[in-house]
Amino acid sequence: MSKTCFNSNCKEASDKWRRGWRCRTGEYADLCDGCASAYEEGNFCEMFHLNASGWRCCESCGKQIHCGCIVSFHMFILLDAGGIECLSCAKNNILTPNPAWPPPPHFLSSEPERMKDISTRNWSTITGSGPIPWRQAPSLFNGSSIQFDSQPRMAFGDDISDGIDRFRICERLSSSFLEKKEESSFGRLIYGKLRSGPFETVEDRNAGLSKEGQPNLSVNVSHLRSFPKNDSPTSKLNLAAAPPFRNEINDIDQVSATLLQQPSLSTLVGKQVCIHNGMDSSGEAQVCNGKSRGDVRGRNQLLPRYWPRITDKELQQISSASNSVITPLFEKMLSASDAGRIGRLVLPKKCAEAYFPPISQPEGLPLKVHDLKGKEWSFQFRFWPNNNSRMYVLEGITPCIQSMELQAGDVVTFSRLEPEGKLVMGGRKASTAPPDQGYKATLIGDKTSGDDSGKYKFGEDATNGHVKGFAKKEILENKSVVRSKRKNSIFGLKSKRLRIDNEEMMELKLTCNQVQGIMRSPPENVPSVFVVEGCEIEEFEDAPIIGRPTIPAIDCFGEKIQWVECEVCLKWRKVPANALLPSRWTCSENIWGLDRSLCSTAQQLSTQQLEDILSTTTEVSKKKNITEQNSDPVVAQERLDALANLAIQVEEVDLPASSQTKMKHAGHKLDCTCIICIQPSDGNDLKQKQICDFANSESLKHRFSSLMERFEKKQLTKEAGSACQKLQVDNDAYLNNDIGKSSLNREEASQGACLDDPDERKSSVSPLKGQIDLNIQPEREEDLSPDSDSGAMKRLLVDSVENNLMHHRSSSSGVSRDLLDKQMQPDGIGGASFSNCIVP
DNA sequence: ACTTAGCATGGAC
DNA sequence: GGTCCATGCTAAG
C-alpha cells in the first residue's frame, strides 16, 4: 500500500519504508529510502531543517548541531556550564567519567524496556478526558526521557488568538519535562523549546499546516542522550511523537532551544535507584531529584517547597500495591484553605501545568487520583482566571484529605505510577516529615535543613541535628490548624500573624523543666566555668540547642548514661550521658550501640526498668506540677507564652549567635527555680518563687554586669549605620543623665506592671488570653513596650532581674541600681541579652 | 441564614 | 515589577 513519507518535507510516495525515529505512539516513523538514509547517516537535519532555527555549535569541536527537533535530539547533550556538545565529544567526555558519579546501573542495559513509552493514553484513562493523549505526563525532575510535549490536544484552542493564553501555552509547555528513568544516569536532558507554526488540535494536526503566518506554538522537546554503544537513534530514543507531530517539526519556522542540564548525574542515579526499588534508605534521592533540575529559566523552576520528598514509607506503600515505577511529582503543604471545608486544594501553577492534563476551560475536568491505599478519588481539576494568569485548584478533596487524616501543615504528595500513569496522592503528617525536609512540624527540636525558598528561616547548623533556630514560620504554618474563618480568624490578618489557641497550645505545654530537659549546651562548645559563691557556672558563647529529651541514669557499671526513646519505634535506647541527641533521634542514629541501631532490635530496658525510671521522673514532674497548680493559672499561661517567645528568640533575636552568652549553673537541678533556670513570665513569678538564693548572688549580678557590658561592646562594634547611630543616641541620652529618667520609667513600668495590678499586667502582657502569638518580632523596638506581648519575654526578664535586685537591695547593699540600669540600657537590648543568658 | 462558586486582593517571593 | 498563591470577599444559589 502506497503512502507518503513520514517526513512532511519529503512527502515522497512509496511502497517501501524504512524505519525512522520512534514516535510517541511507540511506533516508528516510516521514511522513504532517502529520508531514512539521511536519518541514519545523521544528515537529516542538514537536509530538511537547514533553514530552521535552532542550530548551535558544539562547545568542544564547534560542529554545527541542530537542536530541538525530533531527529537531532540525540546528537548532542547539554553541558553543565551551558551550551551543547556533540555526540562525539560527549562520548569522549563520558569515557572519563566524573569519579563522583556512581556507575550507572543501567548503563548499556537493554533498550526496549528502558525506553518504555509512558503512554499518554494513561491520562485519558485517568481523567476520562478522551482518547487522545496530551503528553507523557512528564516529571519536572526526572528529566531523562524524551518527550515532545506538543500539547496534541490543544487545550487552549478556544482562545488561540489570545496572546496571554499563548503565553500560557508557552509556559505550560516549557515547564514540561520529559523523562525516562533508567537512562537518566547518562542522560542529559535537552530541553528545547520550539516555536512551531501550526496551532492546532491533535485531531486536525495533519491538516492545514502552514509554515508562515500561523500563531506560534511553543513546543518543548526534551531529549535524552543515550550512550553510547548503540547510536542508532531509533533504538535509543523514547520518542513518542504522534504522527502529526512531524508536521510541527517540519514546519518549524522558529526554533529557540532552551537548554536544560543536569547538574549532577549522581543525583539522578540515586533517584532512580530509589524510585525503582522504593527502598532507598534515606529518601534523599527524592530530595535530590528535585535539586537535579538545572532549569536555566527560573520561571519554570519548581520552587523547592514543591519538590517531592516522598518518604520510604510512602514509596513502599505505593510500590506495595503495584510493581509500577513511582515517579514523585510534587508535594504541597496544605494551607488552611486547602485543608478547610471548602475542599479546594490550590495547586502550584507549574505543577498543575506540568503534571496534570491541560485544561482550556475554567470548569476543567475530572481527575482520578488514587490514594496510598489504592482507593480511587475523583477530583475536579480546574482553574480560575487570576491576574491574567490562572489559579489551579483541585476541588472535592475534602473526603480524601479527611480519609488521610491530614490537616493544614501536613503535606500531600503527588506521584505517578508508570507505566500506567496513575496519579497517586499521598499524605504525610507534618510530624512525620522526613528529617531532611525543610518543612517541620514538631514545635521544637526539629533539626532543619535549609530550604532555599527563602520563605523559611532555619537554624544555621542542622547537620548534626542540633538546632540553633527554629523553622518558625513552618512551625506556625504547620501547626496552625485549619480555622479558616474569614474575619478575625487566626488566619485573618494579612500579616499572617498566626496564633495558636488553647487547643493547639497543647503542643506547647512544656514545663520549664521540660524545656530544660531538651535544651543542651552547644556541641563542641567548651564552657568557661566561673564560680559564684561556691556555685560553678558554665558559660557558653553559643546558643543552646534543642535536643531530644532523655532520662539520665546510671547503668550497671556505674557509668552515667541516658535513656532516649526512638522517634520511630519508641523503644528506649541507652546512650552516653554526654550524648547530644537531635530532637528526632532514631535508632538508626545510635552510633553508640550499633547492635541497637535498628528499630527491630529489642529494647534495652525492661518494662519494669522503664516504669521505674518513668515513675521517678514523673514524681519530679508531679512535684513541679503541684507547684505550678498553686500558682495563678494566668501566670502559668504567660509562662508558656514566655516559653514560646523564648523559643522564637532563640532564632529570632537578631543577635549573632556568638554574642549570645548562655549560662547555666552547675548546681542546677530540675526543680531549681532560680532566675538562671526558670523562664519567668513576669516579676510575680519571682516574687512567688525566689527559692533559689543563687539568683540573688552578688557575684552573679556582677557577672551579669560584665556580660552585659561585653555584649554591648559587641553590639556597638557590629552594628553600623542607623542602628548604631540609634544606639549611640540612646547611649548619649544615658550619659546625659537621662538614665535617671529612663530608670524611673523602667521602674514605673516594672512596678506598674508587675506589682501594682497583676491582673492588669496580665492582660497587658498576654492580650491574646490563652493564645500564643508565634509571629512576634522580639527584635522590634516596639515589642518592648509594656503592652506588647511579643516583647514580654525580654521585658519580663528585665523585670525579673529588677525584682530580684530590688528584693536584694531591700535586704542588703545590692548591686547599684544604676549599674543595672546601665546594663539594661539602652533600648532594651539588655533585656534581650539577658534573656539569652537564661538558659538552663 | 447558610453554603458555594468564583473573583479579587495583597503579601510573599 | 511580575508572578504566584493564600485567602478574603461577595454574589448567587
Side-chain angles (χ1 to χ4, degrees), chain A residues 480 490 493 497-501 504 768 771-774:
Chain A
S480 300
I490 59 172
L493 301 176
R497 289 170 62 88
L498 305 179
R499 297 167 186 165
I500 298 177
D501 66 7
E504 290 133 13
L768 298 179
Q771 293 184 331
I772 295 178
D773 182 354
L774 288 179

Side-chain angles (χ1 to χ4, degrees), chain A residues 349-405:
Chain A
K349 185 182 173 192
K350 288 183 174 56
C351 299
E353 292 182 341
Y355 301 127
F356 291 172
I359 48 178
S360 58
Q361 299 298 320
E363 294 75 27
L365 45 78
L367 193 62
K368 289 188 169 54
V369 178
H370 295 252
D371 65 16
L372 296 184
K373 297 170 186 170
K375 184 176 179 179
E376 184 180 274
W377 303 86
S378 183
F379 306 134
Q380 189 72 16
F381 172 55
R382 58 175 307 174
F383 70 86
W384 308 317
N386 191 301
N387 292 340
N388 290 331
S389 181
R390 292 177 168 192
M391 191 164 176
Y392 291 92
V393 292
L394 267 189
E395 290 185 341
I397 63 161
T398 300
C400 182
I401 294 292
Q402 288 177 344
S403 82
M404 290 193 275
E405 299 178 343

